[in-house]
Amino acid sequence: AQTVTQSQPEMSVQEAETVTLSCTYDTSENNYYLFWYKQPPSRQMILVIRQEAYKQQNATENRFSVNFQKAAKSFSLKISDSQLGDTAMYFCAFMPEGAQKLVFGQGTRLTINP
Amino acid sequence: NAGVMQNPRHLVRRRGQEARLRCSPMKGHSHVYWYRQLPEEGLKFMVYLQKENIIDESGMPKERFSAEFPKEGPSILRIQQVVRGDSAAYFCASSPRPMNTEAFFGQGTRLTVV
């Protein structure tokens, strides 16, 4: 069974700092997708960034980037120049290619302090 | 193009009552997925439906839970004889094709059983 582990239940940084959220996963699949979702207090699930496992280049979206280490089954999210609006729960998720469901980690509660 | 619409946003039911949660997918999306989020946990897959068909219900509890996605109208997640343990946030996602990487989530329905 595939599992996703987020080892940091909570993190807190000052505005403008850089923060890295960790995620590891366990799978025997070779082709899959990885995602980071943001869930602010409104509860809306917002896709932050996604990575295809067959792509070696790390995905980036503005201030958000990932460090994808396939051999180590690690998929961390780096948020640069953090902003107050980044305060939210962040969930790492995994989906095998061709599958129809996401497997989520337990989440990391990130607080950006002014 | 409106996003995925879920209603109600909040639903309170007494133990033993029925809960009906609705999900209207984005226009042009014929694939719907339901997830459940227990307090302080990540989302867990429940069921995947296409129009008039249940494709994968491997995450659905065996009793009291059912889902449908009729030819016309929204997808419905139905919970009969609710118990306290059913209290959770229920999320719906939709995609234009079988879940690849283009699924969009609704804002969820928070069910409270008293």
Side-chain angles (χ1 to χ4, degrees):
Chain A
Q2 291 109 358
T3 58
V4 177
T5 302
Q6 293 179 249
S7 58
Q8 304 148 314
E10 294 187 23
M11 294 190 72
S12 177
V13 298
Q14 296 298 121
E15 191 176 8
E17 288 184 347
T18 294
V19 60
T20 299
L21 310 183
S22 64
C23 172
T24 58
Y25 56 95
D26 187 22
T27 184
S28 57
E29 302 281 342
N30 191 46
N31 296 321
Y32 48 86
Y33 298 90
L34 293 160
F35 307 80
W36 278 98
Y37 280 89
K38 170 185 178 181
Q39 188 179 43
S42 68
R43 234 178 38 228
Q44 176 81 48
M45 291 291 288
I46 302 166
L47 178 64
V48 175
I49 200 166
R50 64 178 171 234
Q51 172 85 40
E52 291 94 336
Y54 59 85
K55 287 187 177 178
Q56 292 188 338
Q57 186 173 4
N58 289 325
T60 63
E61 287 287 341
N62 301 313
R63 296 183 295 108
F64 300 86
S65 61
V66 298
N67 183 4
F68 173 47
Q69 301 289 328
K70 191 172 184 180
K73 296 181 181 175
S74 170
F75 184 62
S76 61
L77 174 70
K78 185 171 84 170
I79 306 175
S80 303
D81 186 26
S82 57
Q83 301 174 359
L84 297 179
D86 296 333
T87 292
M89 284 288 290
Y90 286 81
F91 292 96
C92 179
F94 166 93
M95 184 174 70
E97 189 177 43
Q100 283 87 38
K101 53 194 173 190
L102 290 158
V103 178
F104 284 87
Q106 312 93 307
T108 295
R109 186 181 301 279
L110 176 65
T111 301
I112 310 298
N113 299 307
Chain B
N1 188 6
V4 178
M5 303 301 292
Q6 290 189 247
N7 67 81
R9 288 295 310 279
H10 302 275
L11 182 62
V12 179
R13 284 287 177 266
R14 295 187 184 280
R15 282 177 294 173
Q17 291 185 319
E18 178 180 287
R20 292 172 68 88
L21 287 63
R22 295 175 185 76
C23 170
S24 296
M26 288 182 69
K27 187 177 180 181
H29 287 195
S30 58
H31 300 263
V32 165
Y33 316 82
W34 286 92
Y35 288 79
R36 176 166 65 176
Q37 184 180 30
L38 295 172
E40 303 302 319
E41 292 188 15
L43 280 67
K44 297 254 188 330
F45 170 79
M46 298 182 75
V47 62
Y48 160 45
L49 310 102
Q50 292 181 32
K51 283 284 188 181
E52 300 183 275
N53 290 303
I54 296 174
I55 307 302
D56 181 353
E57 55 181 348
S58 59
M60 288 278 271
K62 293 290 186 278
E63 297 177 346
R64 302 187 297 108
F65 285 71
S66 62
E68 63 178 12
F69 189 16
K71 187 177 180 180
E72 301 290 337
S75 176
I76 305 288
L77 180 66
R78 183 182 178 207
I79 311 172
Q80 296 178 289
Q81 300 174 325
V82 296
V83 301
R84 289 253 171 88
D86 297 332
S87 295
Y90 291 83
F91 288 88
C92 168
S94 74
S95 67
R97 287 175 289 279
M99 188 114 180
N100 40 28
T101 61
E102 297 176 7
F104 293 87
F105 280 86
Q107 288 190 288
T109 293
R110 182 176 295 280
L111 172 65
T112 302
V113 179
V114 297

